[in-house]
């Protein structure tokens, strides 16, 4: 007998026992559940007309369509299942047919909740930036809609808490450049959807850019200890914790003392050693007038030729044993929970962090 169900390795559906037997649970969102009692319930009309089997099937389909349309009209998020893990399938097998695309993974993994986590925010923003540069035409219509919904939440969050505005400005700049290039010829656009929709999205992006450019961070009024009140060694140690050159330069513009510390040769040497290899130093060695290595100028020269080292507080993880991509819950990790239904004897040895570029490479077939 051929196997016609789901993959036997998957966790299966969620079921609930009712008076009429076991029924599968279907998740339509919290907002839909709160408003499901408003208006006429088509499923109740179907139950009253059980004698006509064909009419019952029509009512059942109409009821599902009504719920889906209600969800799409009254919520910003796309009508998709939000999960903490997905099975990355690149080819068909005897147990499972089809494959997982970049758009499907972007839809099903819960990126909307990830942007609320300060340790995952930079990771999601970098992933959106890489998709905007090269993978935007490969997304389906649903994935593109979900992409802009998440982007809107990110912009609103930055405007509210004034955190990471420079990162989102770079993201919007790359996205607007890509859209201008793709929509320049209206009849040759490779984007999914009507050209007017993309023109409206481009106008929205320009509006977001204007709002971020007009963003003014209020000065913090505090009677306590400030950064300039700290001892010189502590201020120097704070600068050595930074991995971004722009943050060091911006902090050096606040006080004359921090400006002196931010120009330290050893500070920029550590930064170059953190991001680049020693072989790369020899190819682009820059000396000052005194014969010393100008590490600050070397850093900005090297970043033109080589990618900088990426550093994130939390990332997606990939299980090589199960071929599952998932968010690892830090709270469940204390109880030795791998974050997905792993069947390996030692799940920790099968896990590997996934960078934003590696996430995109997983779906290049």
């Amino acid at each position: 007998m051929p196997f016609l169900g789901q993959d036997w390795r998957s966790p299966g559906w969620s079921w609930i026992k009712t008076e009429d037997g076991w029924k599968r649970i279907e998740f339509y969102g919290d907002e839909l559940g709160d408003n499901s009692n408003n208006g006429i319930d088509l499923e109740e009309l179907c139950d009253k007309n059980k004698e006509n089997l064909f009419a019952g099937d029509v009512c059942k389909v109409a009821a599902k369509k009504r719920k889906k349309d209600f969800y799409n009209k009254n919520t910003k998020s796309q009508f998709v299942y939000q999960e903490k893990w997905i099975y990355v399938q690149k080819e068909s097998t005897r147990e499972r047919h089809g494959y997982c695309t970049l758009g499907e993974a972007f839809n099903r993994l819960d990126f909307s909740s990830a942007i609320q986590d300060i340790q995952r925010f930079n990771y999601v923003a970098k992933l959106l930036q890489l998709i905007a540069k090269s993978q935007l035409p490969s997304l389906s219509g649903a994935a593109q809609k979900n992409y802009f919904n998440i982007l809107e939440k990110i912009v609103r969050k930055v405007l509210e808490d004034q955190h990471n505005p420079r990162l989102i400005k770079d993201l919007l700049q790359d996205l607007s450049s890509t859209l201008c290039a793709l929509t320049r010829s209206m009849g040759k656009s490779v984007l999914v959807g009507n050209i007017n929709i993309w023109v409206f999205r481009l106008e929205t992006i320009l509006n977001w850019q204007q709002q971020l450019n007009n963003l003014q961070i209020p000065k913090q009024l505090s009677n306590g200890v400030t950064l300039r009140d700290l001892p010189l060694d502590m201020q120097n140690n704070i600068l050595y914790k930074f991995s971004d050159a722009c943050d060091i330069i911006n902090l050096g513009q606040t006080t004359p003392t921090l400006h002196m510390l931010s120009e330290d040769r050893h500070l920029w040497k550590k930064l170059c050693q953190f991001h680049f290899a020693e072989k790369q130093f020899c190819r682009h060695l820059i000396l000052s007038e005194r014969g010393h290595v100008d590490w600050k100028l070397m850093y900005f020269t090297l970043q033109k030729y080589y990618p900088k080292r990426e550093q994130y507080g939390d990332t997606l993880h990939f299980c090589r044993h199960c071929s599952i991509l998932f968010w690892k819950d830090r709270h469940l990790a204390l109880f030795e929970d791998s974050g997905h239904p792993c069947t390996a004897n030692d799940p920790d040895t099968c896990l590997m962090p996934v960078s934003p570029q590696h996430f995109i490479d997983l779906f290049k077939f």
Side-chain angles (χ1 to χ4, degrees):
M1 180 177 179
F3 183 80
L4 301 177
Q6 279 192 323
D7 184 2
W8 58 271
R9 293 167 293 188
S10 67
W13 300 105
S14 299
W15 298 80
I16 186 172
K17 189 174 183 180
T18 62
E19 296 179 356
D20 299 331
W22 288 89
K23 293 184 177 181
R24 183 166 60 88
I25 300 177
E26 297 181 357
F27 299 95
Y28 292 96
D30 298 335
E31 185 172 346
L32 178 61
D34 297 337
N35 298 275
S36 59
N37 296 327
N38 298 334
I40 301 175
D41 193 348
L42 294 180
E43 290 184 347
E44 294 182 359
L45 295 178
C46 295
D47 294 337
K48 294 180 181 179
N49 194 10
K50 291 183 179 180
E51 296 179 358
N52 191 340
L53 182 60
F54 178 75
D57 293 338
V58 173
C59 290
K60 187 176 181 180
V61 172
K64 287 186 177 181
K65 186 177 185 303
R66 167 183 169 273
K67 288 183 177 181
K68 183 175 180 179
D69 293 340
F70 180 87
Y71 187 90
N72 288 333
K73 291 179 181 179
N74 291 273
T75 59
K76 281 285 184 181
S77 59
Q78 186 64 28
F79 183 76
V80 292
Y81 293 98
Q82 296 292 335
E83 302 173 356
K84 293 184 178 180
W85 60 268
I86 60 170
Y87 177 75
V88 180
Q89 183 179 359
K90 295 188 177 182
E91 58 184 4
S92 298
T93 61
R94 297 181 62 181
E95 300 90 357
R96 197 171 183 134
H97 296 277
Y99 57 92
C100 183
T101 62
L102 175 64
E104 183 182 356
F106 188 78
N107 276 340
R108 294 172 58 187
L109 289 172
D110 193 5
F111 286 101
S112 297
S113 301
I115 62 176
Q116 304 300 329
D117 191 337
I118 189 173
Q119 295 188 350
R120 297 176 179 177
F121 182 86
N122 290 356
Y123 180 86
V124 177
K126 182 63 176 180
L127 178 60
L128 294 181
Q129 188 175 16
L130 293 179
I131 292 177
K133 288 182 178 180
S134 60
Q135 301 298 320
L136 195 60
S138 66
L139 299 181
S140 63
Q144 290 176 359
K145 183 178 180 181
N146 191 30
Y147 177 93
F148 282 93
N149 288 337
I150 295 176
L151 183 59
E152 181 181 1
K153 294 180 181 179
I154 289 179
V155 174
R156 288 183 178 179
K157 185 177 185 301
V158 173
L159 292 175
E160 290 176 359
D161 55 22
Q162 292 94 31
H163 290 165
N164 299 309
R166 178 168 52 85
L167 179 64
I168 306 306
K169 287 181 181 179
D170 296 339
L171 167 60
L172 294 178
Q173 180 62 36
D174 292 337
L175 182 58
S176 61
S177 301
T178 302
L179 289 181
C180 288
L182 293 175
T183 59
R184 188 168 298 148
S185 300
M186 297 180 60
K188 300 180 181 180
S189 178
V190 295
L191 297 172
V192 177
N194 189 281
I195 187 64
N196 295 326
I197 297 177
W198 288 102
V199 172
F200 173 77
R201 289 174 175 174
L202 183 58
E203 294 176 353
T204 304
I205 294 172
L206 297 177
N207 186 25
W208 289 340
Q209 289 179 317
Q210 185 177 2
Q211 293 181 22
L212 291 175
N213 292 331
N214 298 332
L215 179 64
Q216 295 182 357
I217 301 177
K219 184 177 180 180
Q220 299 292 334
L221 299 177
S222 176
N223 297 327
V225 179
T226 60
L227 185 61
R228 67 179 64 187
D229 298 329
L230 297 177
L232 196 62
D233 293 340
M234 295 185 65
Q235 296 184 32
N236 193 35
N237 290 335
I238 292 175
L239 284 172
Y240 271 84
K241 298 296 182 181
F242 288 171
S243 61
D244 193 338
C246 294
D247 293 337
I248 296 177
I249 295 176
N250 292 334
L251 185 60
Q253 295 175 353
T254 56
T255 62
T257 302
L258 289 173
H259 176 71
M260 178 192 65
L261 296 175
S262 65
E263 297 294 330
D264 185 17
R265 291 179 58 254
H266 296 286
L267 173 64
W268 290 97
K269 180 180 179 180
K270 291 288 185 182
L271 195 63
C272 289
Q273 293 175 346
F274 176 79
H275 287 285
F276 309 105
E278 293 184 2
K279 295 181 179 179
Q280 299 169 348
F281 297 160
C282 301
R283 299 176 183 176
H284 303 276
L285 193 63
I286 301 177
L287 301 178
S288 62
E289 297 178 355
R290 299 180 179 179
H292 301 293
V293 178
D294 192 342
W295 291 104
K296 182 177 181 180
L297 186 57
M298 274 193 59
Y299 173 85
F300 290 103
T301 303
L302 290 172
Q303 73 172 2
K304 297 179 181 179
Y305 299 97
Y306 308 104
K308 294 185 295 184
R309 179 180 175 182
E310 297 181 355
Q311 188 180 30
Y312 304 101
D314 191 13
T315 66
L316 285 167
H317 286 74
F318 182 75
C319 180
R320 294 186 294 267
H321 177 77
C322 307
S323 296
I324 285 181
L325 188 67
F326 65 98
W327 289 110
K328 190 173 182 180
D329 196 328
R330 298 185 298 274
H331 303 288
L332 295 179
L334 299 176
F335 303 97
E336 298 183 355
D337 192 324
S338 60
H340 73 287
C342 187
T343 58
N345 295 329
D346 191 2
D348 293 336
T349 60
C350 304
L351 304 183
M352 57 177 293
V354 179
S355 65
Q357 184 61 51
H358 187 200
F359 177 87
I360 295 177
D361 294 340
L362 282 175
F363 304 97
K364 289 183 177 180
F365 307 130

